[in-house]
Amino acid sequence: MSRDDGPRRGAGGGGGGDRSMVPPAEFRSYYGRPIVKAAVWRHDIAAYLFTGGLAAGSALLAAGGGATGRPALRRAGRVSALGALVASTYFLVNDLGRPDRFHHMLRVAKPTSPMSMGTWILSGFGALAGVSAAAEAAPLLPDRGVFKLARAVLPPVGAAGQYGAAGLAPALATYTAVLLADTANPSWHAAYPELPFVFAGSALASGAGVGLLAAPCDQAGPARRIAVCGAAMELYGAHRVETTKGILSEPYAEGRPGRLLRAGRVLTAAGVAGALLGRRSRTVSALSGLSLLTASLLTRFGIFEGGVVSAKDPKYTVVPQRERLVTGVDQREEGDKTAGGPATTGL
């Protein structure tokens, strides 16, 4: 119905003009359905994010232990890196539904696809971490025959694998952040500058947690330094994600995701404090390591669930779009004024 078709007020009705027949605009989506299709990923992927970061952080821990002559730290990092990688691969394949899908990803290498690059990173890291962990068994082999040769060869090969895995660790820790930000989920996509910091810091903190749990106090120095560095990166990135994205920060600050992330912050701070203050206490160091590991797990699940929430509620898609539209119009008008265009000439 056009405006001219609507009933008009009479001359004595208190003023002329048309009476609007259209109610004020309300925010809603088509039949109340989400505008963006939420990712079909289950919580296996959230666990995959955590274990992948743990594998990366543990590899860096092993490299630090090997470079500084701390065998307990090196051993804990190598074994944890391999164990976490095996768990990470399981969660990924389980979410894919069929193991052959992972194999099919290796048939091509597509630099523009975070999933394709991630599959290759995961595979290369796995081979290096496997060799590195296997080298820890060299002293257990018999000192005769072919085993004697293995005892001699495994340590240098393991060292090479250890540093190779450490070289791939930053990519392993952060490619999942790119993977999430590359989706249409509003709160994941909006946080693309900060998610790599959150994931890298979380990976470092979890690796430090392994070192604090497994190594004696006199060998845990690198783990403490890694914990401080990782916690600073994680807390900085998470703070920006939760406070600088306007309405798209809401899913990270409210509901279950908000509770998970707040608990993660508390445990991260407690873990770092314990690592620094409990240098001579094996119990305090172990509790600090457990706190950092738990914090990393909660952070990954909080980020994962926040993105899922933002895809289910249509306001997180429509409101930012309207804001961008208004901002674009304002910028064009400002440009017209600066250039002396229609906004200033009245044409």
Side-chain angles (χ1 to χ4, degrees), residues 10 54 67 82 135 166 173 188 204 229 244 253 275 298 329:
L54 176 59
L82 180 60
W188 283 345
L204 287 172
C229 179
T244 65
L298 295 177
V329 171

Side-chain angles (χ1 to χ4, degrees), residues 116-159:
S116 176
M117 290 295 96
T119 304
W120 282 99
I121 291 169
L122 196 66
S123 301
F125 181 93
L128 295 168
V131 169
S132 176
E136 291 297 326
L140 305 177
L141 298 175
D143 193 12
R144 61 180 181 275
V146 67
F147 296 109
K148 183 176 182 179
L149 178 62
R151 283 174 62 101
V153 171
L154 275 177
V157 172

Side-chain angles (χ1 to χ4, degrees), residues 243-327:
T243 59
T244 65
K245 306 303 172 187
I247 193 174
L248 294 179
S249 288
E250 283 185 4
Y252 297 120
E254 300 177 353
R256 177 179 167 85
R259 291 192 296 271
L260 290 172
L261 290 171
R262 285 192 294 273
R265 283 199 301 271
V266 171
L267 289 173
T268 296
V272 171
L276 295 177
L277 299 176
R279 296 172 182 268
R280 298 181 180 179
S281 172
R282 188 74 184 84
T283 301
V284 173
S285 292
L287 290 175
S288 299
L290 183 61
S291 180
L292 289 171
L293 283 168
T294 306
S296 179
L297 177 67
L298 295 177
T299 297
R300 301 302 178 113
F301 271 77
I303 293 292
F304 177 82
E305 293 193 9
V308 173
V309 168
S310 73
K312 291 181 178 179
D313 192 331
K315 76 176 181 180
Y316 295 121
T317 300
V318 174
V319 172
Q321 287 179 342
R322 290 178 176 175
E323 291 175 349
R324 288 194 294 269
L325 179 61
V326 171
T327 302

Side-chain angles (χ1 to χ4, degrees), residues 14-206:
D18 296 337
R19 184 175 64 191
S20 174
M21 300 299 293
V22 180
E26 296 180 359
F27 169 77
R28 62 182 179 178
S29 63
Y30 186 68
Y31 286 110
R33 298 177 66 86
I35 296 173
V36 174
K37 184 177 179 180
V40 297
W41 299 330
R42 301 169 302 206
H43 280 89
D44 286 326
I45 293 299
Y48 162 69
L49 300 178
F50 166 69
T51 51
L54 176 59
S58 297
L60 292 170
L61 180 77
T68 57
R70 291 174 166 86
L73 207 61
R74 181 203 67 213
R75 187 179 307 112
R78 287 181 176 185
V79 174
S80 179
L82 180 60
L85 185 77
V86 171
S88 183
T89 304
Y90 164 77
F91 288 125
L92 177 59
V93 172
N94 191 55
D95 186 79
L96 291 173
R98 298 204 316 264
D100 57 336
R101 290 181 176 175
F102 183 85
H103 170 265
H104 294 340
M105 293 293 294
L106 295 173
R107 295 165 68 177
V108 296
K110 190 175 181 181
T112 57
S113 168
M115 181 61 80
S116 176
M117 290 295 96
T119 304
W120 282 99
I121 291 169
L122 196 66
S123 301
F125 181 93
L128 295 168
V131 169
S132 176
E136 291 297 326
L140 305 177
L141 298 175
D143 193 12
R144 61 180 181 275
V146 67
F147 296 109
K148 183 176 182 179
L149 178 62
R151 283 174 62 101
V153 171
L154 275 177
V157 172
Q162 165 186 286
Y163 293 116
L168 286 177
L172 179 64
T174 57
Y175 93 86
T176 47
V178 179
L179 180 65
L180 295 186
D182 199 42
T183 67
N185 287 39
S187 290
W188 283 345
H189 187 71
Y192 75 90
E194 291 84 15
L195 283 183
F197 287 95
V198 176
F199 281 27
S202 179
L204 287 172
S206 62

